[in-house]
Amino acid sequence: MRALFVYCLSLSASVWGQSSIVDAYVASESPIAKAGVLANIGPSGSKSAGAKAGVVIASPSTSDPNYLYTWTRDSSLVFKALIDQYTLGQDTTLRTEIDNFVSAEAAVQQVSNPSGTVSTGGLGEPKFNIDLSAFTGDWGRPQRDGPALRATALITYANWLIADGNTSYVSSTVWPIIKLDLGYVVTSWNQTGFDLWEEISSSSFFTTAVQHRSLREGATLASALGDQSLATQYRTQADNVLCFLQSYWNPTNFFMTSNTGGGRSGKDANTALASIHTFDPAAGCDAVTFQPCSDKALSSLKVYVDAFRSIYSVNSGIASNAAVATGRYPEDVYMGGNPWYLTTAAVAEQLYDAIIVWNRTGSIEVTSISLAFFQQFSSSVTVGVYASSTTTYSDLLAAVQTFADGFLAINAKYTPSGGGLAEQFSRSNGTALSAVDLTWSYAATLTAFGARAGVVSASWGASGLKVPSSCSTGPGGGGSTVSITFNEYATTVSGENIYLTGSIDALQDWSTSTALLLSADKYPTWSITLNLPASTSFQYKYIRKVNGTVTWESDPNRQFTTPASGSSVINDSWR
Ligand SMILES: *[C@@H]1O[C@H](CO)[C@@H](O)[C@H](O)[C@H]1NC(C)=O
Ligand SMILES: *[C@@H]1O[C@H](CO)[C@@H](O)[C@H](O)[C@H]1NC(C)=O
Ligand SMILES: *[C@@H]1O[C@H](CO)[C@@H](O)[C@H](O)[C@H]1NC(C)=O
Ligand SMILES: *[C@@H]1O[C@H](CO)[C@@H](O)[C@H](O)[C@H]1NC(C)=O
Ligand SMILES: *[C@@H]1O[C@H](CO)[C@@H](O)[C@H](O)[C@H]1NC(C)=O
Ligand SMILES: *[C@@H]1O[C@H](CO)[C@@H](O)[C@H](O)[C@H]1NC(C)=O
């Protein structure tokens, strides 16, 4: 009790200041962020010249880094925010933008690209040129969250249209796009792919979480549209995905490990982002779906936030229970490995979402898993359920509100005058860095502000779900592999060998040190036969190694899509 009292006293002065700083930031930054989003959407956005109608550019930055492309993930998250604004009646001017997005996505789904065609894995292609032609350069592909996020954005719109009496437009135009995306999720959720930061090819918590959501709400929509057999298929796979989702939990250190591969700590903004983008205000503090106020999500948030306390100079001197600047993951080195506006905003948003639910249910539950999170604010708090009539409830609620505001206050502090939001700000001095006017930074700011004001989007059916007692694999995953023989014609000198490496786990994720040695039994043809995941596109190259020196084949990367079943032979020749 005494500890809590002292804490409240010591913070009271700065808290009042902080809350009004955040109020002022919300007031000044909201219109800038909204305009920043719209400026980056074609055809008439002021910073997106050349983008087709409905196309979201990631950022107008064309060098160091060049982000003048459209990513399915970023675009879908941005349009989910706009569709929420429209369907909640907050901005009735957005209809044309949204319909443009629908048309753009219908078109881009059909564009053949290095991940495949619309029916052979092309929906997993992460990014396109802003005229919607395929991007054919090297990239971390496929990324399997994009189709799920696009389905979720469009399902939100479709549900509103049906309620508005416009089922015909849903059936003719929106539902066909959603069906393609959910078909992709059904067949590919159980295969590896690159994570949301485009670096690690494995299974990723964010991807699995958004896939689950899309299938669950897709089943409800399929039912509403009278397609009971698709509804059943989606629901069956949603149950399987929900089962798999539980496996990311680290029961020793109490957080969701973000990726199954990659050799990192697994502490990553991935989890806060998963929580806010699968928030269902009707689902309470359910841990199975990782709701923002669930014990597992709060514990993961603490573990993630704490990972940045000592590594960024901008966080030095900040109390160990106060907000800090956060980045993607502590091991990040991209552009120097800095804090990001959108990850710091995501932490605030998760906490506001939690407060929304506590406000609704009138109680806060502290479990052995969330105890460390709550003890940051009151060292004497114990496991239990605290009703809104108790001082523990009001003290904890106020402390979490202060903590949440702290993250927005950090973003406010490092937002340059003028209000433009880049991708990152310097870990050493807070100067804005990397791509300017990042659309996702603006959208993340708007959704965090909305959550602070208690705005909630529609429920997606996360309430009361039961995890199956044993996990099943999906139709396109698990045991589904095909036999692929690689033949490479290459003359070599004595001591020299030919190896294979490529973009998927089974091809060693482009590693040269663990690249697969081919057999010279049929020299000068070198060969290897591998079991690879079915219906999967990948890139690969052969390399030579002699005396520790590695020589790559010349560009471009080679490309192949495995069949759904059976086997294939690939005949290549050194180039
Ligand atoms: C249905 O929605 C589409 C897309 O916004 C619109 O073009 C059409 O006029 C709407 N139809 C009705 C009957 O509201
Ligand atoms: C496929 O699903 C099974 C069952 O949940 C799981 O054990 C396995 O790790 C999954 N693999 C991938 C790549 O998703
Ligand atoms: C801030 O840090 C960045 C690198 O993180 C550096 O490039 C820049 O010069 C620094 N600015 C100031 C004003 O110190
Ligand atoms: C929660 O309730 C408090 C007290 O009614 C209110 O001030 C606050 O804005 C609410 N917060 C959210 C995020 O709904
Ligand atoms: C590899 O090293 C051996 C021993 O030093 C040498 O004889 C040989 O020429 C080297 N081969 C190549 C291709 O450099
Ligand atoms: C690959 O080469 C083998 C041996 O030369 C040949 O039998 C086979 O038909 C070729 N396959 C393809 C797909 O070109």
Side-chain angles (χ1 to χ4, degrees), residues 335-336 338 425-433:
M335 295 274 166
N338 295 290
F425 51 96
S426 161
R427 64 195 288 158
S428 51
N429 60 36
T431 309
L433 289 176

PDB file of all heavy atoms in Angstrom, residues 335-336 338 425-433, ligand 3:
ATOM      1  N   MET A 335      18.994   0.202 -40.775  1.00  0.00           N
ATOM      2  CA  MET A 335      19.135   1.666 -40.679  1.00  0.00           C
ATOM      3  C   MET A 335      19.704   2.082 -39.312  1.00  0.00           C
ATOM      4  O   MET A 335      19.416   3.149 -38.795  1.00  0.00           O
ATOM      5  CB  MET A 335      17.781   2.364 -40.890  1.00  0.00           C
ATOM      6  CG  MET A 335      17.203   2.180 -42.268  1.00  0.00           C
ATOM      7  SD  MET A 335      17.855   3.432 -43.391  1.00  0.00           S
ATOM      8  CE  MET A 335      17.366   2.764 -44.960  1.00  0.00           C
ATOM      9  N   GLY A 336      20.460   1.189 -38.713  1.00  0.00           N
ATOM     10  CA  GLY A 336      21.040   1.478 -37.409  1.00  0.00           C
ATOM     11  C   GLY A 336      20.241   0.910 -36.248  1.00  0.00           C
ATOM     12  O   GLY A 336      20.675   0.992 -35.100  1.00  0.00           O
ATOM     13  N   ASN A 338      16.730   1.391 -34.871  1.00  0.00           N
ATOM     14  CA  ASN A 338      16.204   2.502 -34.074  1.00  0.00           C
ATOM     15  C   ASN A 338      14.779   2.254 -33.610  1.00  0.00           C
ATOM     16  O   ASN A 338      14.112   1.350 -34.103  1.00  0.00           O
ATOM     17  CB  ASN A 338      16.218   3.774 -34.942  1.00  0.00           C
ATOM     18  CG  ASN A 338      17.619   4.185 -35.299  1.00  0.00           C
ATOM     19  OD1 ASN A 338      18.372   4.639 -34.449  1.00  0.00           O
ATOM     20  ND2 ASN A 338      17.990   3.984 -36.568  1.00  0.00           N
ATOM     21  N   PHE A 425      13.062   6.971 -35.474  1.00  0.00           N
ATOM     22  CA  PHE A 425      13.789   8.107 -34.911  1.00  0.00           C
ATOM     23  C   PHE A 425      15.033   7.583 -34.210  1.00  0.00           C
ATOM     24  O   PHE A 425      15.052   6.467 -33.710  1.00  0.00           O
ATOM     25  CB  PHE A 425      12.921   8.989 -34.019  1.00  0.00           C
ATOM     26  CG  PHE A 425      12.141   8.289 -32.935  1.00  0.00           C
ATOM     27  CD1 PHE A 425      12.636   8.207 -31.641  1.00  0.00           C
ATOM     28  CD2 PHE A 425      10.877   7.741 -33.193  1.00  0.00           C
ATOM     29  CE1 PHE A 425      11.905   7.588 -30.627  1.00  0.00           C
ATOM     30  CE2 PHE A 425      10.142   7.115 -32.188  1.00  0.00           C
ATOM     31  CZ  PHE A 425      10.654   7.039 -30.909  1.00  0.00           C
ATOM     32  N   SER A 426      16.055   8.403 -34.233  1.00  0.00           N
ATOM     33  CA  SER A 426      17.377   7.937 -33.806  1.00  0.00           C
ATOM     34  C   SER A 426      17.403   7.411 -32.369  1.00  0.00           C
ATOM     35  O   SER A 426      16.888   8.044 -31.453  1.00  0.00           O
ATOM     36  CB  SER A 426      18.384   9.083 -33.939  1.00  0.00           C
ATOM     37  OG  SER A 426      19.523   8.832 -33.157  1.00  0.00           O
ATOM     38  N   ARG A 427      18.034   6.268 -32.205  1.00  0.00           N
ATOM     39  CA  ARG A 427      18.174   5.696 -30.864  1.00  0.00           C
ATOM     40  C   ARG A 427      19.076   6.551 -29.981  1.00  0.00           C
ATOM     41  O   ARG A 427      19.011   6.481 -28.759  1.00  0.00           O
ATOM     42  CB  ARG A 427      18.726   4.277 -30.940  1.00  0.00           C
ATOM     43  CG  ARG A 427      20.122   4.190 -31.514  1.00  0.00           C
ATOM     44  CD  ARG A 427      20.490   2.781 -31.914  1.00  0.00           C
ATOM     45  NE  ARG A 427      20.712   1.909 -30.773  1.00  0.00           N
ATOM     46  CZ  ARG A 427      20.638   0.574 -30.820  1.00  0.00           C
ATOM     47  NH1 ARG A 427      20.346  -0.035 -31.952  1.00  0.00           N
ATOM     48  NH2 ARG A 427      20.869  -0.151 -29.754  1.00  0.00           N
ATOM     49  N   SER A 428      19.918   7.373 -30.610  1.00  0.00           N
ATOM     50  CA  SER A 428      20.832   8.151 -29.777  1.00  0.00           C
ATOM     51  C   SER A 428      20.326   9.553 -29.478  1.00  0.00           C
ATOM     52  O   SER A 428      20.571  10.079 -28.392  1.00  0.00           O
ATOM     53  CB  SER A 428      22.222   8.200 -30.411  1.00  0.00           C
ATOM     54  OG  SER A 428      22.145   8.607 -31.741  1.00  0.00           O
ATOM     55  N   ASN A 429      19.606  10.187 -30.424  1.00  0.00           N
ATOM     56  CA  ASN A 429      19.167  11.556 -30.133  1.00  0.00           C
ATOM     57  C   ASN A 429      17.726  11.869 -30.558  1.00  0.00           C
ATOM     58  O   ASN A 429      17.282  12.998 -30.443  1.00  0.00           O
ATOM     59  CB  ASN A 429      20.142  12.558 -30.771  1.00  0.00           C
ATOM     60  CG  ASN A 429      20.201  12.368 -32.285  1.00  0.00           C
ATOM     61  OD1 ASN A 429      19.200  12.065 -32.922  1.00  0.00           O
ATOM     62  ND2 ASN A 429      21.373  12.546 -32.864  1.00  0.00           N
ATOM     63  N   GLY A 430      17.001  10.874 -31.077  1.00  0.00           N
ATOM     64  CA  GLY A 430      15.583  11.094 -31.368  1.00  0.00           C
ATOM     65  C   GLY A 430      15.279  11.782 -32.692  1.00  0.00           C
ATOM     66  O   GLY A 430      14.116  12.000 -33.023  1.00  0.00           O
ATOM     67  N   THR A 431      16.325  12.114 -33.474  1.00  0.00           N
ATOM     68  CA  THR A 431      16.078  12.735 -34.781  1.00  0.00           C
ATOM     69  C   THR A 431      15.356  11.761 -35.710  1.00  0.00           C
ATOM     70  O   THR A 431      15.698  10.578 -35.745  1.00  0.00           O
ATOM     71  CB  THR A 431      17.432  13.093 -35.451  1.00  0.00           C
ATOM     72  OG1 THR A 431      18.204  13.817 -34.521  1.00  0.00           O
ATOM     73  CG2 THR A 431      17.221  13.926 -36.702  1.00  0.00           C
ATOM     74  N   ALA A 432      14.383  12.265 -36.467  1.00  0.00           N
ATOM     75  CA  ALA A 432      13.653  11.395 -37.391  1.00  0.00           C
ATOM     76  C   ALA A 432      14.603  10.801 -38.422  1.00  0.00           C
ATOM     77  O   ALA A 432      15.503  11.482 -38.922  1.00  0.00           O
ATOM     78  CB  ALA A 432      12.545  12.184 -38.078  1.00  0.00           C
ATOM     79  N   LEU A 433      14.397   9.513 -38.739  1.00  0.00           N
ATOM     80  CA  LEU A 433      15.299   8.782 -39.640  1.00  0.00           C
ATOM     81  C   LEU A 433      14.511   7.892 -40.591  1.00  0.00           C
ATOM     82  O   LEU A 433      13.354   7.580 -40.356  1.00  0.00           O
ATOM     83  CB  LEU A 433      16.212   7.857 -38.823  1.00  0.00           C
ATOM     84  CG  LEU A 433      17.312   8.449 -37.969  1.00  0.00           C
ATOM     85  CD1 LEU A 433      17.990   7.319 -37.203  1.00  0.00           C
ATOM     86  CD2 LEU A 433      18.336   9.182 -38.817  1.00  0.00           C
TER      87      LEU A 433
HETATM   88  C1  LIG B   3      21.427  12.222 -34.324  1.00  0.00           C
HETATM   89  O1  LIG B   3      21.807  10.877 -34.536  1.00  0.00           O
HETATM   90  C2  LIG B   3      21.945  10.532 -35.896  1.00  0.00           C
HETATM   91  C3  LIG B   3      22.271   9.042 -35.986  1.00  0.00           C
HETATM   92  O2  LIG B   3      21.491   8.294 -35.137  1.00  0.00           O
HETATM   93  C4  LIG B   3      23.020  11.356 -36.533  1.00  0.00           C
HETATM   94  O3  LIG B   3      23.104  11.046 -37.910  1.00  0.00           O
HETATM   95  C5  LIG B   3      22.696  12.833 -36.374  1.00  0.00           C
HETATM   96  O4  LIG B   3      23.768  13.596 -36.826  1.00  0.00           O
HETATM   97  C6  LIG B   3      22.436  13.168 -34.918  1.00  0.00           C
HETATM   98  N1  LIG B   3      21.930  14.540 -34.833  1.00  0.00           N
HETATM   99  C7  LIG B   3      22.304  15.377 -33.882  1.00  0.00           C
HETATM  100  C8  LIG B   3      21.658  16.707 -33.925  1.00  0.00           C
HETATM  101  O5  LIG B   3      23.102  15.072 -33.030  1.00  0.00           O
END
